[in-house]
């Protein structure tokens, strides 16, 4: 039986740094990019120095040293990323098992091909690059094939516990044969690599299940928003129908009164009433009955809440949108804008503007509202807080993209602007 050398500690350190980096990169930064890069470099050097310094410790100290190395990774994740302690433990467990797999597979091939060469040999380093590149490249593709909601998945205590226990079991089983006085041979590396592969697969399946559950939850929330907008539209449509019926009755009454009385002042008053009715009817004729209903309902809501809403809308080219899509593309931005301006203490600054017009073969939907506080946008282009909508604006963005359109958000000089540009399909 031929004795084989142990994995160089710097190989292990590199594997752990790459594994943590792959899982940490999509997560939000707690500090700025420059500070995070500096902290990452310092952490990588500290971890490498620690593993190198503890490479020759007695067997009794080996497990405590590995636990300390995992603790360093855990602290790095929690300090530099906007994640909770549970999420940091979950990510750390996945990274640790992945690093064990990469290091074990690479050194197994090294010992199979040229066991007498050192880890610093040129061919050894070339093999290191090839194996690490293949393992971490595959995991990178799998991790970024499906983007998680909001950049990361909220991890429950149960999910974190399962991941940590699984990582501990994989580490214990894969390293069990290293204990004792027996010489290390290829069979030990075969078993270790196989166990690590199983551990990575199990944790990957668990992560996919969590990702799909989060996606279903997000889609359910978006569907609830769309359903709520549609229900509001139906209620508004019925209310406006009753209002229009009442206005029609008023016009008949005015005609009757004018026929019975012929006084100049009464005629002037009645003429003003008719003018107001005609103005009301003209203001809500956009060329699209669904848009008429939405704008009228939101305008009445703004009047009741002390919001000054002005709209200039041409809905004649919105016929390619379904009723639900119009409720989403118009209703949700208006609800978010109304919620935002209501936070303004000065009633004179509760301003909201709507414009829908043709632009170079497309139709532009533009919503503006006064907002004194700057609105920070996340990597997905949506507000990082809920002042201008959470799932509401995600639903708007999704509805625009279904028609090959775009949604952009912008804050400047106290005004928050939401633009939706939709190409008009040929008839």
């Amino acid at each position: 039986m031929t004795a084989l050398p142990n994995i160089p500690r710097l190989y292990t350190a590199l594997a752990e740094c790459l594994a943590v980096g792959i899982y940490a990169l999509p997560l939000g930064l707690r500090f700025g990019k420059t500070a995070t890069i500096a902290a990452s470099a310092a952490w990588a050097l500290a971890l490498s120095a620690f593993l190198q310094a503890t490479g020759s410790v007695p067997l009794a100290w080996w497990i405590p040293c590995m636990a300390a190395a995992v603790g360093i990774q855990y602290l790095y994740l929690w300090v530099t990323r906007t994640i909770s302690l549970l999420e940091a433990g979950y990510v750390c467990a996945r990274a640790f098992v992945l690093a064990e797999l990469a290091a074990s597979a690479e050194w197994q091939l090294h010992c199979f091909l040229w066991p007498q060469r050192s880890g610093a040999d040129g061919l050894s380093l070339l093999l290191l690059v090839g194996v690490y590149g293949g393992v971490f490249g595959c995991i990178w593709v799998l991790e970024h094939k499906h983007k998680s909601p909001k950049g990361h998945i909220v991890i429950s205590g149960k999910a974190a516990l399962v991941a940590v226990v699984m990582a501990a079991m994989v580490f214990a089983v894969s390293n069990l044969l290293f204990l004792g006085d027996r010489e290390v041979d290829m069979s030990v590396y075969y078993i270790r690599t196989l166990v690590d592969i199983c551990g990575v697969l199990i944790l990957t399946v668990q992560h996919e299940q969590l990702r799909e559950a989060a996606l279903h939850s997000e889609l359910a929330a978006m569907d609830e928003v769309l359903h709520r907008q549609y229900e509001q539209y139906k209620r508004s449509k019925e209310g406006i129908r009753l209002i229009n019926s009442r206005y029609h009755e008023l016009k008949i009454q005015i005609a009757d009164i004018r026929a019975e009385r012929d006084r100049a002042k009464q005629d002037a008053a009645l003429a003003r009433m008719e003018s107001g009715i005609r103005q009301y009817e003209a203001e809500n004729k956009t060329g699209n009955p669904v848009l008429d209903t939405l704008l009228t309902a939101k305008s009445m809501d703004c009047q009741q809440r002390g919001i000054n809403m002005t709209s200039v809308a041409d809905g004649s080219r919105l016929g390619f949108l379904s009723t639900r899509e119009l409720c989403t593309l118009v209703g949700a931005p208006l609800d978010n804008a109304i919620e935002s301006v209501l936070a303004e203490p000065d009633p004179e600054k509760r301003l909201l503007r709507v414009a829908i017009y043709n632009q170079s073969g497309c139709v532009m939907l533009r919503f503006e509202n006064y907002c004194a506080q700057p609105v920070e946008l996340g990597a997905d282009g949506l507000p990082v807080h809920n002042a201008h909508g959470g799932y509401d604006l995600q639903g708007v963005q999704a509805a625009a993209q279904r028609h090959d359109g775009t949604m952009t958000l912008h804050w400047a000089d106290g005004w928050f602007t939401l633009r939706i540009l939709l190409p008009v399909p040929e008839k």
Side-chain angles (χ1 to χ4, degrees):
M1 184 179 295
T2 303
L4 299 175
N6 292 324
I7 301 175
R9 302 292 278 176
L10 290 181
Y11 278 25
T12 302
L14 178 60
E16 292 181 355
C17 291
L18 291 175
V20 171
I22 285 179
Y23 291 132
L25 191 60
L27 304 177
L29 302 180
R30 195 178 296 273
F31 307 106
K33 184 178 295 185
T34 302
T36 303
I37 293 175
S40 300
W43 162 76
L45 291 175
L47 180 63
S48 301
F50 176 80
L51 290 176
Q52 183 67 20
T54 58
S56 58
V57 297
L59 185 61
W61 286 95
W62 177 60
I63 293 180
C65 289
M66 290 301 299
V70 174
I72 294 173
Q73 300 172 43
Y74 176 78
L75 288 176
Y76 165 77
L77 287 168
W78 181 66
V79 170
T80 61
R81 296 309 192 270
T82 55
I83 55 178
S84 65
L85 292 173
L86 284 176
E87 292 169 332
Y90 173 82
V91 175
C92 185
R94 296 187 70 205
F96 177 71
V97 176
L98 176 60
E100 287 286 300
L101 169 61
S104 177
E106 192 280 334
W107 197 245
Q108 175 184 326
L109 287 175
H110 174 95
C111 293
F112 179 78
L113 295 173
W114 41 70
Q116 303 304 322
R117 291 181 182 272
S118 68
D121 186 82
L123 288 176
S124 300
L125 294 176
L126 184 62
L127 179 64
L128 174 71
V129 172
V131 175
Y132 278 19
V135 172
F136 292 115
C138 290
I139 297 299
W140 173 271
V141 172
L142 290 175
E143 285 296 308
H144 292 78
K145 185 178 180 180
H146 302 290
K147 293 293 185 181
S148 300
K150 298 295 184 181
H152 72 277
I153 299 172
V154 178
I155 304 300
S156 65
K158 181 180 179 180
L161 179 62
V162 169
V164 171
V165 171
M166 178 57 62
M169 291 180 61
V170 168
F171 177 75
V173 174
S174 64
N175 290 275
L176 186 63
L177 295 178
F178 285 92
L179 302 177
D181 298 330
R182 61 168 291 176
E183 292 182 339
V184 177
D185 56 16
M186 288 301 299
S187 64
V188 174
Y189 285 111
Y190 291 148
I191 296 174
R192 180 181 184 182
T193 303
L194 180 61
V195 172
D196 289 337
I197 289 175
C198 293
V200 170
L201 289 177
I202 291 173
L203 291 178
T204 301
V205 169
Q206 180 199 22
H207 185 73
E208 283 300 303
Q209 290 176 342
L210 293 174
R211 187 194 63 80
E212 290 182 3
L215 183 59
H216 286 313
S217 177
E218 180 179 348
L219 291 176
M222 292 175 61
D223 185 69
E224 176 64 24
V225 171
L226 301 181
H227 180 72
R228 187 174 67 248
Q229 290 291 337
Y230 183 65
E231 290 299 322
Q232 289 180 1
Y233 161 75
K234 291 195 296 185
R235 290 194 298 269
S236 300
K237 182 178 180 180
E238 179 62 22
I240 292 173
R241 187 190 66 80
L242 295 175
I243 292 174
N244 288 333
S245 176
R246 178 57 178 164
Y247 271 103
H248 182 68
E249 293 174 359
L250 288 174
K251 287 194 292 184
I252 295 176
Q253 293 175 5
I254 291 172
D256 293 340
I257 295 174
R258 176 172 291 166
E260 294 177 359
R261 298 186 181 183
D262 191 15
R263 298 180 180 179
K265 291 184 178 181
Q266 290 180 348
D267 286 344
L270 293 173
R272 287 194 297 270
M273 292 174 62
E274 286 182 327
S275 176
I277 293 173
R278 287 193 297 269
Q279 182 181 3
Y280 168 81
E281 293 175 342
E283 285 178 351
N284 295 275
K285 299 299 181 182
T286 66
N288 186 294
V290 177
L291 184 61
D292 294 345
T293 301
L294 289 171
L295 291 180
T296 301
K298 300 303 180 184
S299 178
M300 294 171 61
D301 186 26
C302 287
Q303 290 179 9
Q304 294 176 354
R305 300 189 180 196
I307 299 173
N308 183 9
M309 172 182 167
T310 58
S311 63
V312 178
D314 178 10
S316 59
R317 303 192 70 185
L318 295 176
F320 64 95
L321 297 174
S322 68
T323 299
R324 284 184 178 270
E325 289 173 335
L326 257 181
C327 291
T328 301
L329 293 170
V330 177
L334 282 175
D335 284 346
N336 291 320
I338 290 172
E339 181 183 354
S340 176
V341 296
L342 284 176
E344 294 296 331
D346 187 358
E348 298 296 327
K349 295 182 179 180
R350 295 176 182 173
L351 306 175
L352 195 162
R353 301 192 295 238
V354 181
I356 301 175
Y357 52 91
N358 298 326
Q359 180 174 306
S360 303
C362 300
V363 58
M364 172 69 77
L365 292 80
R366 182 186 178 104
F367 305 89
E368 298 176 309
N369 67 273
Y370 183 80
C371 180
Q373 297 296 327
V375 179
E376 181 182 356
L377 302 180
D380 56 358
L382 300 178
V384 296
H385 54 78
N386 291 327
H388 286 85
Y391 291 115
D392 290 25
L393 293 188
Q394 286 187 354
V396 174
Q397 189 177 54
Q401 291 174 349
R402 280 196 295 270
H403 290 275
D404 297 325
T406 60
M407 184 189 79
T408 57
L409 307 176
H410 178 66
W411 182 92
D413 301 327
W415 283 89
F416 181 80
T417 303
L418 186 152
R419 299 183 184 89
I420 302 170
L421 186 64
L422 301 173
V424 178
E426 297 181 359
K427 295 184 179 180

